[in-house]
Amino acid sequence: MNQEEKIKQFIENIYSNSQYNFNDSRYPEVTLTYAQTLDGFISGKPNTPPLLISGKESMLMTHCLRNKNEAIMIGIGTVLNDNPQLNVRQLTGFNNGGNVHNPQPVILDSKLRFPLDCKLLKNYREYKSKIEQKVEGYEKLTEIKPPIIFVNENQYDKTKAEILINYNVEINILKNDNNNNNNNNNNGSSLDITKVLSILKSKYNIHSVMVEGGAQVIRTFLVNASLIQHIIITIGPFFIGNGVKAVGDTIEKSELSETSESLPRLENTQSFTLGQDIIIIGQPVLSS
Ligand SMILES: NC(=O)c1ccc[n+]([C@@H]2O[C@H](COP(=O)([O-])OP(=O)(O)OC[C@H]3O[C@@H](n4cnc5c(N)ncnc54)[C@H](OP(=O)(O)O)[C@@H]3O)[C@@H](O)[C@H]2O)c1
């Protein structure tokens, strides 16, 4: 078995031991995953170039997780800062008809700041046009899906929405909800994550979502940990001294939702090294 197959097998075991039951839940199965430095930072200072924390082996694990999950969710901050592709290009068979799949990208973006020239859209449009023109080789490329974006009804850019809809991007408009207590910054502008998840399940029949960041989205899920089934954290073996923390002194008591009194702890933990990185896996439980 090569390393990719071993990682895939390991990931299969994580999910096969899951207590989650799709039929009993209003939401998809959620895996929160991110990489941090030894001193707990997930990126350098805001608006600086993306910081590569994962080594090549743990990056391969991330691509295997993307392959396993039906959707991948990030916040607009990560789209704007990192311009990610969110595909499985490191997996065997990506370019030549292998048995791998790209997850459905899902973006939290109240104001629709989504850039029209970002890689998520460019990759999809290029793929679609090559398929329509029947360009040789493209029929074997792993399907690239247009993003699903969640926006706030009073805040989003309607002109841009029309352009994006023409490009097959799905725009889901959420109503303002003053009782929304599961946002991360309590300014009332964040999207209600329980609504987002229930729409992903009921409208799109999505069974599993991998949440890949960035900082604000990680916090939103951590303070609503009952929505998460698995947490997978990669620790890169280095310090950076400052930057953006996944969890830090910025989470105030007032940010915690009524249903979660505190940040979770993990049970059924496992840890191992991949290359030089340390991987920590567990199921979140709320402290009593
Ligand atoms: N190390 C890692 O694993 C990793 C992974 C991904 C990203 N990152 C890093 O994270 C940084 C970006 O983090 P970020 O905090 O600026 O951006 P983010 O978490 O990607 O996106 C946050 C934005 O999403 C929107 N949003 C809407 N509803 C939300 C909700 N319920 N909860 C949270 N956000 C919601 C908000 O913008 P609107 O108000 O406009 O809707 C919010 O400002 C980048 O530096 C990137 O490199 C690191």
Side-chain angles (χ1 to χ4, degrees), residues 207-222:
H207 289 61
S208 55
V209 179
M210 168 181 177
V211 178
E212 221 184 79
Q216 289 189 46
V217 172
I218 293 169
R219 285 177 207 152
T220 290
F221 276 89
L222 284 176

Side-chain angles (χ1 to χ4, degrees), residues 7-262:
I7 295 173
K8 278 186 179 160
Q9 184 60 59
F10 182 77
I11 287 171
E12 281 306 322
N13 290 342
I14 297 173
Y15 288 96
S16 62
N17 290 328
S18 173
Q19 302 294 315
Y20 172 83
N21 183 335
F22 182 74
N23 295 322
D24 291 347
S25 177
R26 288 159 56 204
Y27 312 121
E29 184 168 21
V30 171
T31 302
L32 175 65
T33 180
Y34 59 89
Q36 65 169 58
T37 62
L38 283 176
D39 42 355
F41 295 103
I42 66 152
S43 66
K45 287 182 180 165
N47 308 316
T48 54
L51 175 70
L52 196 57
I53 297 175
S54 301
K56 70 174 178 356
E57 295 86 356
S58 44
M59 191 54 85
L60 184 62
M61 180 188 73
T62 298
H63 283 231
C64 290
L65 278 167
R66 289 178 181 175
N67 181 52
K68 176 69 187 167
N69 282 275
E70 291 181 9
I72 183 164
M73 183 189 293
I74 58 169
I76 186 61
T78 299
V79 178
L80 294 170
N81 199 72
D82 298 5
N83 198 9
Q85 304 189 65
L86 307 181
N87 61 18
V88 296
R89 63 194 176 280
Q90 293 194 4
L91 300 190
T92 310
F94 175 73
N95 286 316
N96 54 13
N99 187 22
V100 291
H101 96 112
N102 289 317
Q104 166 65 61
V106 175
I107 317 295
L108 304 178
D109 183 10
S110 320
K111 306 170 193 75
L112 202 52
R113 292 184 280 155
F114 189 83
L116 295 174
D117 61 352
C118 70
K119 285 182 189 163
L120 279 173
L121 189 58
K122 270 167 78 172
N123 287 357
Y124 163 69
R125 294 190 63 208
E126 182 177 318
Y127 168 81
K128 183 170 167 278
S129 106
K130 295 278 168 50
I131 291 290
E132 281 169 3
Q133 292 164 37
K134 298 194 187 325
V135 176
E136 205 184 323
Y138 269 78
E139 77 287 352
K140 286 191 178 157
L141 189 69
T142 305
E143 183 192 357
I144 297 177
K145 302 169 182 99
I148 293 173
I149 304 182
F150 285 85
V151 300
N152 180 299
E153 69 167 343
N154 296 327
Q155 297 183 334
Y156 76 103
D157 177 339
K158 296 184 179 55
T159 312
K160 196 193 275 182
E162 278 175 27
I163 299 171
L164 286 168
I165 290 165
N166 276 331
Y167 292 156
N168 294 336
V169 172
E170 293 246 0
I171 309 282
N172 286 275
I173 303 163
L174 296 193
K175 284 195 164 58
N176 245 348
D177 180 357
N178 294 332
N179 295 323
N180 172 15
N181 56 17
N182 65 23
N183 61 30
N184 65 309
N185 55 17
N186 256 7
N187 64 9
S189 71
S190 288
L191 300 165
D192 183 336
I193 207 66
T194 57
K195 279 190 190 159
V196 170
L197 290 173
S198 66
I199 290 171
L200 289 178
K201 182 176 176 191
S202 58
K203 179 173 170 187
Y204 297 102
N205 196 29
I206 285 175
H207 289 61
S208 55
V209 179
M210 168 181 177
V211 178
E212 221 184 79
Q216 289 189 46
V217 172
I218 293 169
R219 285 177 207 152
T220 290
F221 276 89
L222 284 176
V223 299
N224 294 279
S226 59
L227 299 171
I228 312 171
Q229 280 68 50
H230 314 277
I231 294 186
I232 302 177
I233 300 172
T234 298
I235 302 179
F238 58 95
F239 301 91
I240 57 169
N242 58 37
V244 177
K245 285 213 168 196
V247 188
D249 48 9
T250 49
I251 293 188
E252 302 287 341
K253 181 82 180 160
S254 59
E255 291 183 69
L256 297 171
S257 76
E258 280 171 9
T259 48
S260 70
E261 288 289 302
S262 62

